[in-house]
Amino acid sequence: MIPRFSLVRPHTLDEALAAFEATGGDAAYLAGGTELLQVMKLGFAQIGTLIDVKRVPDLKGIERRPDGWLRLGAAVTHREIERSELVRHELPALAGLELHLANARVRNAGTIGGNLAFAEPHSDPATFLLACGATVLLASPSGRRELPIDEFVVGPLFTAREADEVMISVQVPPAAAGEGRSYDKLAFFERPAASVAVRLTVRDGAITAATVAVGSVGPVPALVAGAAEALLGADAGGDGLEAAVTAASGALADIEAEADLNGSADYKRHLAAVLLRRAVAAAIREAQADA
Amino acid sequence: MHELVTIELSVNGVARSLLIEPRETLAEVLRDRLGLTGTKVSCDAQVCGACTVLVDGLAMSACTYLAVDADGRAVRTVEGLATDGVLAPVQQAFVDKAAFQCGFCTSGMLMAATALLEDNPTPTREEVVRGLEGNICRCTGYVPIVEAVLAASRAGDAAGAARIEQGSENSGGAR
Ligand SMILES: Cc1cc2nc3c(=O)[nH]c(=O)nc-3n(C[C@H](O)[C@H](O)[C@H](O)COP(=O)(O)OP(=O)(O)OC[C@H]3O[C@@H](n4cnc5c(N)ncnc54)[C@H](O)[C@@H]3O)c2cc1C
Ligand code: FES
Ligand code: FES
């Protein structure tokens, strides 16, 4: 059984923040509950008050802002993202990632905000959004702040979010001209064994900008600068690509990795190298389709 | 005194008003308060799907879904599938294809299949397999289950029936 708690179901952001303050800190925000209820059921957390944020309008909706950034409300479910025409059009790799995350029931209840706030080391969206240069918007009684993903996720199950801060939304920058973004993973159980996200720009047939993020391998999703650098300048269509991808894969050989149920640290690094090859190819395809 | 909340929901089409504790899961309310024990709890961790019910048409893990979150919504369980003693097409297909042995996973499989077919009445075999990912069966094996869902999709859908007649169904590997 889930241990007893009090429940508050606010209809506005101000009510949610005030409800947290009123508890003196013995509270947590609740979205889909797919992580939080599980943790409470297992006795890992005893929380006096749960503040359900699912009714707060600021946390809802998916839209393209006038400046081109995609804005996802923190309480938007995985299912809503997967099925959003806007996301499928603007950021197809995210819609594809959501389709293959967890199982249908978790996708129906679980939210993007809950996923990022929980900071599980095997999070698919955290890895992809890190490569995309996305940000999260947080609100507390003392104001708002926007943090890039790498400043937000600071450790396994640990973020820069203060306990009283509500995550309002996730912002993703638009693709630059000739930019492609891709994500690939391998999963044996519910969560990935390893995953790789690639964001790159192709101009005049050459890779002119690249970002590589690896997830599920180490304690947090991580940017791998060496892998990204190895891709720079490579001929996106020709023979040079093979050498660049091999060099980029080589740069994954010494990333931080932890053995888990999926296999040894070395095995997971190996998986990442294989996935990198696929993700680079997919990102180039998207970049060139765009051109 | 423990905090209690009133929730108003519909369960298999019947309006219910219940006074519950916020911590009660939908599975607990269905089984212990309403006596609807067709919904099973096995892993209690959203992994096995035995507890699958539909909330406003979407499959949910009743084991880890707060009953208060069903406030104002329509819940459907395996008890609601048959009408006047006549099995729903998906239930009949499970019987015809021998898609259960011990039956412990069956309620959840049926509800997952119902959500899948309502969303996509003519799924391919791959779509069925993907849709049932996260519903675990430890004895029957998945082949009869997938075949039952495909059979139900054909029986219930004219386009599917037409495809079968023409011998050009897209789920050709099903048999
Ligand atoms: C069986 C299973 C398989 C899974 N497989 C995958 C997978 O393959 N890939 C993957 O990436 N993930 C996977 N997940 C994780 C899943 O994505 C998350 O459980 C889900 O997105 C969490 O969202 P939620 O709304 O349920 O969060 P909740 O459980 O409600 O909350 C999680 C945490 O975030 C906090 N929180 C939630 N919303 C906010 C907010 N708006 N502001 C501030 N704090 C907030 C809560 O206080 C809590 O600490 C899996 C989960 C399960 C149970
Ligand atoms: S009992 Fe709920 S998913 Fe297994
Ligand atoms: S029939 Fe026994 S678990 Fe599926």
Side-chain angles (χ1 to χ4, degrees):
Chain A
M1 269 200 141
I2 299 171
R4 286 207 165 87
F5 58 85
S6 293
L7 180 71
V8 186
R9 294 189 280 177
H11 288 270
T12 67
L13 184 59
D14 286 346
E15 278 171 30
L17 294 172
F20 194 103
E21 268 198 312
T23 66
D26 183 16
Y29 297 111
L30 169 76
T34 59
E35 298 288 14
L36 187 56
L37 298 176
Q38 207 66 57
V39 164
M40 291 173 74
K41 219 190 265 180
L42 294 170
F44 294 149
Q46 179 85 45
I47 298 165
T49 301
L50 294 189
I51 301 163
D52 180 0
V53 294
K54 288 191 291 294
R55 288 174 168 73
V56 176
D58 312 53
L59 274 58
K60 300 231 173 111
I62 301 176
E63 70 249 344
R64 186 175 37 207
R65 299 194 317 205
D67 62 3
W69 285 57
L70 189 66
R71 177 202 173 276
L72 307 160
V76 167
T77 63
H78 297 297
R79 177 193 167 91
E80 288 169 319
I81 298 174
E82 174 223 318
R83 300 202 173 209
S84 156
E85 280 306 322
L86 186 61
V87 176
R88 286 181 181 184
H89 182 258
E90 296 286 309
L91 198 51
L94 180 62
L97 169 166
E98 293 289 359
L99 177 63
H100 296 278
L101 179 149
N103 59 50
R105 304 182 306 279
V106 170
R107 292 196 295 274
N108 289 342
T111 64
I112 184 76
N115 181 296
L116 295 175
F118 196 65
E120 218 281 340
H122 298 79
S123 165
D124 289 297
T127 304
F128 179 65
L129 294 170
L130 173 64
C132 289
T135 65
V136 299
L137 178 64
L138 304 171
S140 73
S142 48
R144 293 187 173 207
R145 58 182 180 141
E146 193 170 338
L147 293 179
I149 299 288
D150 53 343
E151 288 175 30
F152 178 70
V153 180
V154 293
L157 308 179
F158 188 47
T159 71
R161 187 180 68 85
E162 299 294 337
D164 65 347
E165 282 183 302
V166 174
M167 190 195 300
I168 300 188
S169 56
V170 179
Q171 291 71 226
V172 193
E179 183 175 290
R181 296 171 288 194
S182 71
Y183 180 77
D184 209 341
K185 72 168 172 182
L186 186 73
F188 308 118
F189 307 109
E190 276 73 29
R191 297 163 204 262
S195 72
V196 172
V198 170
R199 174 190 187 196
L200 53 75
T201 305
V202 177
R203 286 229 175 91
D204 301 326
I207 297 174
T208 56
T211 308
V212 172
V214 173
S216 297
V217 174
V220 287
L223 293 172
V224 188
E229 278 158 24
L231 295 172
L232 284 182
D235 174 2
D239 298 339
L241 183 63
E242 179 56 30
V245 171
T246 302
S249 302
L252 301 186
D254 48 29
I255 56 171
E256 192 176 2
E258 287 178 345
D260 59 20
L261 276 179
N262 299 288
S264 68
D266 275 345
Y267 176 59
K268 288 170 62 176
R269 285 193 197 97
H270 168 75
L271 291 180
V274 174
L275 291 166
L276 174 66
R277 188 169 289 274
R278 296 181 191 166
V280 167
I284 289 176
R285 273 197 303 278
E286 187 178 291
Q288 293 186 328
D290 182 58
Chain B
M1 259 310 286
H2 310 308
E3 177 179 311
L4 295 173
V5 194
T6 302
I7 58 169
E8 317 267 349
L9 71 168
S10 128
V11 180
N12 296 328
V14 180
R16 303 274 192 170
S17 177
L18 300 167
L19 193 59
I20 62 165
E21 280 194 64
R23 65 154 162 180
E24 288 179 56
T25 65
L26 186 52
E28 287 162 353
V29 166
L30 291 169
R31 291 177 55 85
D32 305 340
R33 292 194 182 266
L34 300 177
L36 295 172
T37 53
T39 299
K40 305 301 178 195
V41 175
S42 180
C43 72
D44 207 10
Q46 305 164 80
V47 173
C48 76
C51 66
T52 306
V53 300
L54 306 194
V55 179
D56 282 352
L58 298 185
M60 295 291 179
S61 305
C63 70
T64 315
Y65 184 93
L66 290 182
V68 290
D69 278 338
D71 191 10
R73 300 184 187 273
V75 175
R76 286 149 68 200
T77 70
V78 72
E79 287 90 346
L81 288 183
T83 342
D84 300 329
V86 179
L87 296 183
V90 67
Q91 290 175 299
Q92 189 59 51
F94 269 60
V95 175
D96 296 344
K97 298 284 178 186
F100 50 90
Q101 289 183 22
C102 80
F104 203 81
C105 70
T106 309
S107 324
M109 288 285 179
L110 288 169
M111 298 319 289
T114 299
L116 172 76
L117 292 173
E118 286 179 0
D119 185 46
N120 177 4
T122 55
T124 62
R125 187 182 184 82
E126 201 204 321
E127 284 167 342
V128 172
V129 169
R130 180 162 302 292
L132 295 182
E133 237 170 48
N135 283 76
I136 293 173
C137 174
R138 295 305 300 269
C139 41
T140 307
Y142 298 98
V143 172
I145 293 172
V146 170
E147 292 194 354
V149 178
L150 285 168
S153 75
R154 296 174 188 135
D157 176 72
R163 273 207 314 275
I164 292 170
E165 270 164 34
Q166 292 160 13
S168 65
E169 55 196 307
N170 54 9
S171 49
R175 271 161 300 177

